[in-house]
Amino acid sequence: MRKVLFFAICLLALASCKEEPKAPVVDIVDTSVADSLQRIIDQRDNEISELMATFNQIEEGFRAINEAEQRVTLAKSGEGSDKVSKIKEDILFIQKRMDSNRKLIDQLRQQLSESSIKGDEFKKTIEMMVSQLEAKDQQLAELRLMLDAKDVRITEMDEAINVLNNDVADLKNESSQKSQTISEQDKQLHVAYYVFGTKSELKEQKILDKDGNVMRGAYNKNYLTKIDTRNQKVIKLYSKYAKLLTDHPTSSYKLEMDASKQYTLHITNEDQFWHTSKVLVIMVK
């Protein structure tokens, strides 16, 4: 599971840091965009470090629990007060580490909810953690049967198992709610806007000012069309002239004429195209 999360986080970090060539048709280069992107990159680096630190603690907790379970497996084949005492100690140790891991998982969920890093991979990570807790629940149930056979029941162990059962049920419910939240957040990540119009139309809507600056002031947001970037790959412009006024890598799109000699925008790489700007402004004639 650590490799899955680490690979997903590396991909996000590389995507955030990747530089793209500038479109030659852009009229204005707003240096504040570069500053904003750098702040986002720095923020994501910090969030990644915090997430990995918590995740490593959880993994270490599960490793220690597995070792304790192995010790119990070896001890249960023997008899005598020493063996029973050792089993009790290991059961209490497992209980404490499970309590610690539950707190760390809660901490990780909180970090994820406050983080700007969202997506399906984190949803999968939460589901994998739920699966691990369910597996531990089954293992503890089997251990309980073994102790019953040896008449080695202890109050602390029963309480720990009951608490674990309740926590697993609560975690399933929270995971379902978290999955719905992540799904909504994932949709928001793929929201973008586009608009095309003549120079006079764009000026009339305050999208283009008299100095040729794009969306510098209070423009008419209702004039823009909202899209899902995963689905909108082709935009018909109905014009024999087209010029992109916002910043999008030239390698991520093509402007092609149809049979009527009118331009159509084809987005060939949606991630690259919308990486710098989630608003597309095109001037036509």
Side-chain angles (χ1 to χ4, degrees):
M1 184 171 66
R2 183 184 300 175
K3 292 182 179 179
V4 173
L5 180 60
F6 182 76
F7 182 68
I9 291 177
C10 287
L11 288 178
L12 285 170
L14 288 173
S16 298
C17 298
K18 190 173 182 181
E19 296 180 359
E20 299 293 345
K22 305 297 182 180
V25 294
V26 174
D27 292 339
I28 300 300
V29 177
D30 190 350
T31 57
S32 65
V33 173
D35 293 338
S36 297
L37 288 176
Q38 185 59 51
R39 285 194 296 271
I40 292 172
I41 291 170
D42 293 341
Q43 177 187 348
R44 287 196 172 189
D45 286 342
N46 292 334
E47 291 171 353
I48 288 170
S49 297
E50 292 175 0
L51 291 172
M52 285 303 296
T54 305
F55 187 79
N56 288 337
Q57 287 181 284
I58 295 172
E59 285 291 280
E60 174 60 23
F62 279 126
R63 185 196 64 78
I65 290 169
N66 289 336
E67 289 184 354
E69 289 173 341
Q70 291 175 4
R71 291 196 297 269
V72 171
T73 300
L74 293 174
K76 70 180 181 180
S77 59
E79 301 293 342
S81 60
D82 290 343
K83 295 290 185 180
V84 171
S85 176
K86 182 59 180 173
I87 290 176
K88 289 181 179 180
E89 290 177 3
D90 286 330
I91 289 295
L92 291 175
F93 174 82
I94 291 173
Q95 174 189 335
K96 290 179 180 178
R97 292 313 295 256
M98 289 295 286
D99 290 340
S100 175
N101 260 23
R102 285 195 293 273
K103 293 177 181 178
L104 287 171
I105 291 173
D106 287 339
Q107 177 181 328
L108 181 60
R109 292 204 306 269
Q110 182 65 27
Q111 288 174 322
L112 288 173
S113 68
E114 297 173 354
S115 171
S116 63
I117 303 173
K118 312 294 181 185
D120 290 339
E121 290 302 326
F122 291 108
K123 175 182 175 182
K124 293 178 182 177
T125 301
I126 293 174
E127 293 172 351
M128 291 171 69
M129 286 183 174
V130 171
S131 296
Q132 278 194 279
L133 284 177
E134 290 176 339
K136 293 303 173 190
D137 180 42
Q138 179 63 33
Q139 291 169 6
L140 286 174
E142 294 172 358
L143 184 59
R144 182 177 177 178
L145 292 175
M146 180 275 294
L147 292 175
D148 283 344
K150 288 182 173 291
D151 196 23
V152 188
R153 297 179 57 88
I154 55 175
T155 302
E156 292 87 350
M157 185 200 69
D158 289 334
E159 292 176 351
I161 291 176
N162 290 332
V163 169
L164 182 59
N165 287 335
N166 292 333
D167 286 348
V168 169
D170 291 341
L171 188 56
K172 286 181 179 179
N173 183 51
E174 290 181 20
S175 178
S176 176
Q177 296 175 357
K178 182 68 69 176
S179 296
Q180 294 178 1
T181 300
I182 290 176
S183 178
E184 291 301 320
Q185 291 171 338
D186 188 54
K187 290 180 181 178
Q188 289 301 316
L189 284 175
H190 294 91
V191 168
Y193 300 84
Y194 80 89
V195 61
F196 63 87
T198 64
K199 187 174 184 180
S200 60
E201 289 172 339
L202 295 177
K203 284 186 175 181
E204 182 180 351
Q205 303 301 325
K206 307 298 183 183
I207 295 172
L208 185 67
D209 64 21
K210 62 181 180 179
D211 297 321
N213 299 317
V214 179
M215 296 183 297
R216 286 294 183 87
Y219 58 91
N220 182 8
K221 295 182 179 179
N222 294 327
Y223 199 65
L224 277 62
T225 300
K226 181 179 178 181
I227 61 170
D228 185 325
T229 60
R230 296 169 295 185
N231 302 325
Q232 191 79 37
K233 303 293 182 64
V234 178
I235 300 175
K236 292 183 177 295
L237 302 177
Y238 305 101
S239 174
K240 296 182 179 180
Y241 173 88
K243 181 179 182 181
L244 275 68
L245 301 184
T246 44
D247 188 12
H248 304 275
T250 56
S251 60
S252 64
Y253 69 89
K254 293 180 181 179
L255 280 171
E256 297 181 345
M257 280 189 172
D258 58 19
S260 301
K261 303 297 182 181
Q262 293 181 332
Y263 275 110
T264 297
L265 175 68
H266 296 268
I267 300 173
T268 57
N269 189 321
E270 64 185 80
D271 292 332
Q272 289 183 9
F273 186 85
W274 299 107
H275 176 73
T276 304
S277 174
K278 285 301 182 81
V279 179
L280 167 65
V281 179
I282 304 176
M283 184 170 66
V284 298
K285 291 182 180 180

